[in-house]
Amino acid sequence: RIQAIFTSNDTPLGECRLKTTLRSRNVTELYHESHTGQDDRMTPKESEAVAALITACDSREFGNRLDDLSRLLASFDMSCAFAYRYDHTPEVIHDGYSTAVSRDALSRYLKGGYLLDPFYVACVSGVKEGLWRMRDIAPDGFFASDFASSREVHPCISEEEGTLVEEIGFITPLGDGASAVYSLMRNKGGSPFSSAEFQGLQGVSPIIAACMRRHLGASRASQNAAPSATDSESAFRLAFGDRLTPTQHTVVRLILR
């Protein structure tokens, strides 16, 4: 507890004296506790989970160890991890979907549904590394779209349309225009990830990113690499050629974005 007592004397300018009384803990501990409400030191279980994740790099257990670490910080119903590269089919790094998710839905996602996924769009658009809520990177009107609510195109949707209450994802640039996303999802009927949970998961984002790069063999790649505007423009013009007028070209790009 900090007790401040201010007194002044009769001098023309006045003098102020501050008396502090500290009990049990030092100022740093009190400040930290008052601002975060929790101890930010890693627990033994978290340390063990991080060690297990590092050990699992380049093994089939990598995705499960990602889940083990994340579950120590927040609960979730499903998870997944994909590696994205412009104009390439996504690579499935981890399939943590529940048994309610149809394999056909996942197949449709890999065949083209991913092109409408806000996390894919964020990756090819060069969104910076870190943990993101889907609602913060999704375009206007996305959650009213067929993609967000139909199990026919989104692998996270099961028998009930609009199953997810929230999806958050760790975005990791891998270099050479590639990125990876590790997503955590909560089903409808639950609550979104709280600020405290999000902050806790955000704290391990550098660990997850480093392990993701190691797992995918891209540890020496630039952390800020992204497809250049010139490359994206060339790919777009290659796809549509001279079939669009300059005005139509601009409109289509805005719609796709």
Side-chain angles (χ1 to χ4, degrees):
R1 186 175 62 181
I2 301 179
Q3 180 183 23
I5 302 174
F6 294 91
T7 62
S8 61
N9 58 21
D10 295 326
T11 59
L13 296 177
E15 294 180 358
C16 181
R17 292 179 296 160
L18 172 64
K19 178 182 178 182
T20 63
T21 303
L22 304 181
R23 299 179 182 177
S24 301
R25 300 176 218 175
N26 61 40
V27 175
T28 302
E29 291 173 328
L30 289 167
Y31 176 86
H32 173 76
E33 186 172 271
S34 65
H35 282 70
T36 66
Q38 58 184 1
D39 193 337
D40 63 352
R41 290 173 294 187
M42 188 172 286
T43 67
K45 285 187 176 181
E46 290 168 351
S47 298
E48 292 171 3
V50 170
L53 176 60
I54 295 172
T55 302
C57 288
D58 198 27
S59 79
R60 294 183 178 181
E61 288 301 308
F62 180 71
N64 292 329
R65 300 294 80 81
L66 279 174
D67 286 352
D68 290 344
L69 174 60
S70 300
R71 279 201 173 91
L72 293 176
L73 302 166
S75 62
F76 53 91
D77 297 305
M78 295 186 290
S79 65
C80 65
F82 294 98
Y84 297 112
R85 184 186 296 275
Y86 180 77
D87 204 26
H88 286 70
T89 300
E91 175 189 351
V92 180
I93 301 170
H94 171 53
D95 179 356
Y97 294 119
S98 69
T99 55
V101 173
S102 166
R103 297 301 95 179
D104 289 339
L106 179 56
S107 177
R108 285 189 291 269
Y109 175 84
L110 295 175
K111 288 179 179 178
Y114 71 91
L115 293 169
L116 301 177
D117 189 331
F119 280 112
Y120 168 77
V121 176
C123 287
V124 299
S125 299
V127 170
K128 68 179 182 179
E129 178 181 312
L131 179 62
W132 294 85
R133 295 182 189 268
M134 180 182 278
R135 66 171 182 257
D136 291 335
I137 60 174
D140 294 341
F142 172 79
F143 292 101
S145 68
D146 290 340
F147 178 87
S149 62
S150 174
R151 63 179 182 273
E152 296 302 317
V153 292
H154 197 306
C156 306
I157 306 301
S158 59
E159 293 305 314
E160 179 185 359
E161 292 190 351
T163 297
L164 294 184
V165 66
E166 185 173 38
E167 179 175 351
I168 61 177
F170 297 86
I171 294 179
T172 303
L174 301 171
D176 297 328
S179 294
V181 178
Y182 169 53
S183 294
L184 306 177
M185 293 153 275
R186 280 184 174 171
N187 291 339
K188 192 173 182 180
S191 59
F193 293 90
S194 68
S195 297
E197 289 172 327
F198 190 87
Q199 183 178 1
L201 289 165
Q202 206 167 32
V204 297
S205 181
I207 295 173
I208 288 177
C211 289
M212 188 69 76
R213 291 191 180 95
R214 179 174 178 178
H215 178 68
L216 297 174
S219 60
R220 292 191 298 273
S222 170
Q223 296 186 12
N224 298 315
S228 68
T230 302
D231 291 340
S232 297
E233 183 71 15
S234 298
F236 185 86
R237 292 193 178 280
L238 181 63
F240 291 98
D242 297 327
R243 289 175 289 176
L244 300 179
T245 66
T247 300
Q248 290 172 331
H249 172 91
T250 301
V251 170
V252 171
R253 283 190 66 86
L254 288 173
I255 291 173
L256 291 175
R257 187 177 297 238

